[in-house]
């Protein structure tokens, strides 16, 4: 997968590599950094929000999208991944207390 925004080369970096463009992480495609991608089991997810809180890249989306699980429990929100922003660090899977997130090889 190719990036939509190329990172500057070393000689193009500002002194101290300061970030001059606020919020630029939202425009950088980080998907090609990934070796593994997180996959969520919506049935196991208890909507605790931990993955949303801990993701360092804002790649977990909290959507106003109701979901009813197999036991008939209704949730008002659904968490999904924005894979364009996800770098595959695995923090979300590590923090999920009910193990609803599995990291799978990117090629699968
Ligand atoms: S941490 Fe796990 S249970 Fe909590 S919202 Fe994320 S996937 Fe669902
Ligand atoms: S793998 Fe890392 S970057 Fe991707 S959604 Fe999980 S915490 Fe965020």
């Amino acid at each position: 997968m190719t990036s939509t925004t190329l990172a500057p080369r070393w000689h193009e970096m500002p002194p101290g590599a300061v970030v001059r463009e606020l919020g630029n992480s939202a425009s950088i495609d980080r998907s090609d950094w990934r070796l593994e991608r997180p996959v969520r089991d919506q049935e196991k997810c208890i909507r605790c929000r931990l993955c949303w809180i801990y993701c360092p890249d804002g790649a977990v989306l909290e959507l106003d999208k109701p979901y009813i699980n197999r036991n008939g429990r209704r949730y008002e929100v659904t968490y999904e991944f924005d894979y364009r922003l996800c770098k595959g660090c695995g923090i979300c899977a590590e923090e999920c207390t009910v193990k609803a997130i599995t990291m799978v090889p990117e090629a699968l």
Side-chain angles (χ1 to χ4, degrees):
M1 205 172 288
T2 55
S3 295
T4 52
T5 306
L6 292 177
R9 302 179 67 170
W10 69 267
H11 55 84
E12 297 167 338
M13 299 283 270
V18 294
V19 177
R20 290 179 174 155
E21 181 198 342
L22 296 179
N24 71 346
S25 60
S27 63
I28 296 174
D29 185 338
R30 297 183 284 283
S31 58
D32 59 356
W33 299 5
R34 257 192 337 256
L35 296 177
E36 293 184 319
R37 67 167 50 207
V39 174
R40 187 189 324 271
D41 182 338
Q42 295 292 354
E43 283 294 311
K44 284 188 184 174
C45 175
I46 56 172
R47 275 62 180 174
C48 69
R49 214 185 206 188
L50 281 179
C51 54
W52 183 87
I53 292 168
Y54 279 102
C55 175
D57 286 271
V60 178
L61 307 175
E62 185 179 75
L63 305 174
D64 289 330
K65 190 171 160 185
Y67 181 85
I68 301 173
N69 71 13
R70 281 195 287 269
N71 295 327
R73 175 158 186 184
R74 179 186 170 93
Y75 295 102
E76 295 305 321
V77 295
T78 298
Y79 292 92
E80 293 182 1
F81 296 109
D82 182 339
Y83 286 113
R84 198 183 60 86
L85 301 180
C86 171
K87 63 187 174 198
C89 66
I91 291 174
C92 54
E94 188 65 29
E95 296 299 333
C96 178
T97 53
V98 295
K99 299 296 171 207
I101 301 173
T102 307
M103 299 301 291
V104 302
E106 183 60 29
L108 296 180

